[in-house]
Each structure stands twice: as structure tokens, then as C-alpha cells.
Amino acid sequence: MNSLIKYLAFIFLLNNLFFGIIKLNQLAENSFLLIIGFSFLITIYSIKILKSVIFNKSFQLFFMLNFLNLIYYLCFEFGDIDSFKYLSARFVQFSIFSITVYSFKNNFPRVLIKFLKFVTISSLLGSLIFYFPDFQSRYSGIFINPNEFSILMVIGFSIILFVEKKSYLNYLLLIMFLLAVVISGSRSAIAGLFIAVFSYIIYYKLKNIINVILILLLLIIFSIYSGENNAVQRMFELDILLNRKFQYLYAIETFLQKPLYGHGLKNYAYIDHTLIQFNDVKIDFGAHNGYLSILVQYGIVFSTIFFSIFFYYLYKIYKSQIIFYGENHSEIRVLFFIVTYTLVNGLFENTIIGISFFQTNLFWLTIAYFIYLLHKKNESNSISY
């Protein structure tokens, strides 16, 4: 049982992945409820877990965010079943992420990278085998949405770039991940690639400048021969800054309907459809912005508290230069990239706030490790003094 408990976060992430895969979506919905229910029972009835993990000072961020959700629910939505489901799911998510990090401790980065390497390479190869690209339309592989597919490809690219030794096989994988990102047509994924390359330059200075030049040359070549819907060419379309404007405007209008206390826990990534004009019916009605989604959900009062807590811990993580801690420098740098990439992608997708989105939960799992690492470092400094 203990061995199963410590892998709950990885089981949960796999389930998130299935939500976006063709023909596995229904299975994911059913298994998601089972995972949440099973994890909730384990967390509630295990005194050892409650004492060692849930109330551990290493995970104070999660405790505060769970407490914030509880206060909001009791004040404004007590008795609302859908909001209670969100409250419970969020509690379970944060709990199992804390349990997994606490169980693996210093070995966590290596275990997570192995998991992500398996997931990303499997997704890449499975996509090419079952849905070979036509190089004309946006490519999503085995996934329903090309943006979800591209997120995994960017993560796979960063793992090969930062962690793996440079061999013929790894160079081939790097090229395949790069091509997959380009033909996905995702502009936010291109931003993720540039974040990875820029981070690589910072970490390794000019030691591996040939790799950077190779990546940029391949990016140019792929953009020329990968059809009109590839990500690089879409970066230069005139609507790049206006692509999400209606979603943003409607999200802001929705927020202004209930500016103080928001639309409720159950209404994350919510837009009031009555605001939508007739000629906009073809718009994807999601807010497509994680930060606006939080405002709509909580309102200005509780979102201010949320952002204050959230950015305080992010500031501590970035200020600490955490990428230089421990022995697993390269693995930690990948995790640091995942945090940065998710924060940037939150401008274009509903990351940070969702329940079953892979990148969102990978972000929170990574944050769990970083705040655990920071707490342990502070403890060791206190002892040394």
C-alpha cells in the first residue's frame, strides 16, 4: 500500500494525460473520480500522512490555498455540491503531490524526469505511428487538441536538451520533438522552446553554442517546409495579439459582473455566455488565461489573497537560485523550466487553476518539490547557526 501511495501523483498525472487523448477521454473521466475518491480516503484516515505531510511546514503553501478555498466555500457557497467537488479535488491534488514529494525527497527530480521522459517519448512515437502528420493542418497526434500535444513535446524537448547525454539517438529525439512543436502550430509552444533555449544558454554559457545554432537552423528549415499552419509562420500572423481578445474581453466583463467575490469555486475558466454577441458564436468560449480565470472565480478580494500567497512563494523560489541546489542540477533545471513555461503559458491557457489539465498539475507537483527543498534548506541553515 505504501508503495502505491507514493506513486499517486504520477497515476494522477497519467489520468490527466488520458483526458486529452482520442478514445481515452471517457475512461479518464471515470478513473478520475476513482483516483480522487481513493486518495481522499487515504488522506483523511491516515493520521501519519496528516501529521507528516498535510500539516508539514514544508507544504505551507498548499495548506494556505486549501484554507482559502475552505473559507470561500463556507462564506459564499456552503451546500453547493459542484463547488464542494472542486474544494475536495483541490485538497486531494495538493495532498497527493505533497505525499509523493515527501516520499521520494531528494530523489524526486530524477524519478519525475524518468516519468516525463517515458510520457513524452511515448506520446511522440504513438502519435507518429497512429496519426502520421500531413504537414498541412495543425498536428495533434493522438491528442484531441494540438496545444495539449505541443506542451508535451516542449517538455520532452527540454528534457533531452538539459538532461540527456548527446548521442545520435538523443539528437534524433531532439529533432523530432522540435519538428512536432513546429507542426502543432502552437505559438505558445514556440515561446516555450525559446524559454528552454534561453535557459540553456544561461546555464551553460557558450560551452554548447553549436547545439543552440543547430536548433535555430532546424527551426527555420522546419518553418519553411512544414506547411502554412506551422507554429513559426503563425507567430507572424497579424492576429497574434488579437487571437484571444474576445475571450479576454468576455472574461473581464464576466469578472465585472461580480467583481468583489467572484462567480464561485465551481466557475473556474468561466465566461458568462449571455454576454457573447451573435457574430462571435465561433469563438472558443474558454477564458484562455489562467490569471483572468482566477479573478473570475474568486473576485478581487479572494484573488488578491491568492495572488499574494502564490507570488510570494514564487518570488522565494526564483530568488533562492534553487537550480544550483543538490546533486541533480540538470534535472532541477528542467523542473525550473516547467514552472517558468507554465507561468508564461498561463497568459494563453487556463493553467494554474484547473483540475484535470496535465500542465497545471505538473506545475503544482513541481512547486511542491521546490517549496519542500526551500524549507529543508532553511532548516539546515538554522541548525548550522
Side-chain angles (χ1 to χ4, degrees), residues 58 320-322 325 370-385:
S58 301
S320 68
Q321 295 185 321
I322 206 166
Y325 290 178
F370 283 153
I371 60 176
Y372 171 81
L373 199 60
L374 283 176
H375 180 73
K376 290 304 174 185
K377 179 178 181 292
N378 292 335
E379 276 191 342
S380 62
N381 288 342
S382 299
I383 293 172
S384 63
Y385 285 112

Side-chain angles (χ1 to χ4, degrees), residues 166-200:
K166 299 305 176 282
S167 63
Y168 289 115
L169 177 60
N170 286 328
Y171 270 117
L172 178 60
L173 283 171
L174 195 72
I175 293 169
M176 291 172 68
F177 279 126
L178 187 64
L179 176 61
V181 170
V182 172
I183 62 179
S184 74
S186 173
R187 293 178 284 204
S188 60
I190 290 294
L193 282 181
F194 279 110
I195 293 171
V197 173
F198 182 70
S199 302
Y200 183 78

Side-chain angles (χ1 to χ4, degrees), residues 202-214:
I202 292 176
Y203 298 150
Y204 298 101
K205 308 302 180 185
L206 297 178
K207 294 179 181 178
N208 298 308
I209 192 65
I210 294 176
N211 291 332
V212 176
I213 294 173
L214 175 64

Side-chain angles (χ1 to χ4, degrees), residues 10 103 117-119 126 132 145:
F10 300 113
S103 299
K117 186 178 177 182
F118 168 76
V119 165
F132 196 79
N145 189 310

